[in-house]
């Protein structure tokens, strides 16, 4: 007997514009008091500080708020641990740096652009149609959307600042051996959706997946290992970090709707304080001075303005994965299990 696709029904319900879906069942961690039967705060009992947070645009780990979900073991959301300046830095990296070659872009089949963001401003004014065309770029091990198979010859260097950011969050949730090796950066506009799927291409399915959201908000659906399980709807706001681990790592998920953000944390002027060069024990970042300079230049509203224009109408999601097993050095290294 064919099973009922409860995932599809929920996806359609939230995707519709007319009639507008009710948002009363959407779990919002801003209004957690309305959802205490579904999600709860689970901050680690003993939180140690991380010397890297300040320079990566993050608040002190002691201020972070981590939530888990009763119906989804292994799923966690870290509620916006970023400063305003941090949000600007990461949004800008996703627009200015990550879509550069050799990374792959969805628009490659139409036109090969060495530097998409620069091309958008080639004639001075912003080329909005070209801006709106970008839907994804891939980093590190390049996700192959057709075969869903990673290969060693289809790999570009993984951005060291994103490896560092992922490591800080991984340490906080207890995944001390996590290595960021692949990422998909998804770009959404107000009418974009992402259909139901599972992420199972990685050799290592024990390692969690870290998903960072910026800009406009989204309704995120997460169900079970098959589509008969009715999904929960969760609101993801700018700065939120989702961690999909254990059972949740292989569950169906989707984005049926982008919603206007209720606040603009990237524009909070009170929170735009310059960072200064400090001692941070970085694992991946080699040039601290460059990092500090890249972070601080976004305080200047004129410099920040083109990125502001983009994010005012869009959402960006960086989805970071570990591909290999712990002691594996490449996809063709089959000896990692030998003792
Ligand atoms: O945009 C999101 O929040 C989810 C993205 C996602 O599911 C993916 O890249 O596999």
């Amino acid at each position: 007997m064919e099973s009922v696709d409860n995932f599809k029904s929920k996806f359609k319900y939230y995707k519709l514009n007319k009639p507008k879906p009710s948002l009363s069942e959407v779990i919002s961690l801003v209004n957690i008091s309305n959802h205490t039967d579904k999600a709860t705060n689970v901050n680690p009992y003993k939180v140690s500080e991380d010397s890297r947070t300040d320079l990566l645009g993050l608040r002190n780990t002691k201020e972070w708020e981590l939530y888990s979900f009763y119906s989804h073991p292994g799923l966690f959301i870290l509620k916006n641990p970023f400063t305003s300046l941090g949000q600007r830095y990461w949004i800008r990296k996703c627009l200015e740096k990550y879509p550069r070659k050799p990374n792959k872009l969805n628009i490659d089949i139409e036109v090969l652009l060495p530097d998409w963001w620069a091309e958008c401003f080639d004639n001075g004014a912003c080329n909005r149609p070209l801006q709106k065309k970008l839907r994804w770029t891939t980093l590190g091990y390049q996700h192959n959307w057709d075969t869903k198979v990673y290969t060693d010859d289809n790999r570009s260097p993984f951005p060291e600042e994103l490896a560092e950011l992922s490591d800080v969050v991984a340490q906080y949730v207890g995944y001390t051996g996590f290595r960021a090796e692949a990422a998909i950066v998804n770009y959404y506009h107000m009418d974009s959706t992402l259909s139901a799927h599972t992420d199972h291409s990685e050799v290592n399915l024990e390692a969690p997946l870290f998903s960072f959201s910026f800009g406009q908000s989204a309704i995120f659906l997460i169900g079970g290992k098959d589509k008969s399980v009715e999904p929960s709807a969760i609101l993801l706001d700018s700065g939120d970090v989702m961690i999909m681990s254990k059972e949740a790592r292989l569950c169906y998920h989707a984005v049926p709707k982008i919603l206007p953000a209720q606040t603009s944390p990237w524009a909070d002027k009170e929170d735009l304080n310059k960072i200064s060069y400090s001692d941070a024990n970085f694992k991946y970042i080699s040039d601290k001075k460059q990092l500090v300079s890249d972070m601080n230049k976004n305080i200047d509203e004129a410099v920040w303005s083109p990125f502001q224009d983009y994010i005012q109408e869009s959402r960006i999601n960086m989805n970071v994965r570990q591909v290999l097993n712990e002691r594996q050095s490449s996809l063709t290294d089959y000896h990692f299990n030998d003792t």
Side-chain angles (χ1 to χ4, degrees), residues 186 188 194 197 199 211 220 236 253 255 315 317 319 321:
N186 297 290
Y188 297 84
L194 180 72
H197 66 281
D199 297 309
S211 161
F220 181 85
L236 288 179
H253 56 280
V255 176
R315 168 177 186 260
N317 173 265
N319 217 277
R321 300 108 196 261

Side-chain angles (χ1 to χ4, degrees), residues 85 88 92 269 271-275 293-304:
L85 194 60
R88 288 190 177 189
R92 184 167 177 174
K269 299 230 163 66
D271 202 21
L272 283 174
N273 304 312
K274 263 195 174 175
I275 57 159
S293 147
D294 282 357
M295 189 68 71
N296 286 338
K297 64 187 177 197
N298 299 310
I299 292 187
D300 183 334
E301 295 298 332
V303 170
W304 166 249

Side-chain angles (χ1 to χ4, degrees), residues 43 47-66 78-90 164-165 167-169 172 212 214 237-241 263-275 282 295:
N43 275 23
V47 180
S48 41
E49 294 186 36
D50 190 313
S51 65
R52 301 169 291 178
T53 45
D54 205 25
L55 296 194
L56 289 168
L58 293 161
R59 295 179 203 291
N60 190 304
T61 46
K62 296 207 183 288
E63 293 171 38
W64 291 9
E65 283 172 33
L66 185 70
L78 182 55
K79 195 72 198 138
N80 180 21
F82 293 91
T83 60
S84 273
L85 194 60
Q87 295 223 3
R88 288 190 177 189
Y89 170 87
W90 289 105
E164 201 78 61
L165 173 70
D167 188 70
V168 171
V169 179
Y172 179 79
F212 301 86
F214 295 105
D237 296 315
S238 192
D240 289 354
V241 185
T263 58
S264 307
W266 56 87
D268 181 357
K269 299 230 163 66
E270 312 265 285
D271 202 21
L272 283 174
N273 304 312
K274 263 195 174 175
I275 57 159
F282 284 133
M295 189 68 71

Side-chain angles (χ1 to χ4, degrees), residues 251-267:
C251 286
Y252 272 95
H253 56 280
V255 176
K257 185 92 169 168
I258 304 298
L259 293 172
Q262 294 301 301
T263 58
S264 307
W266 56 87

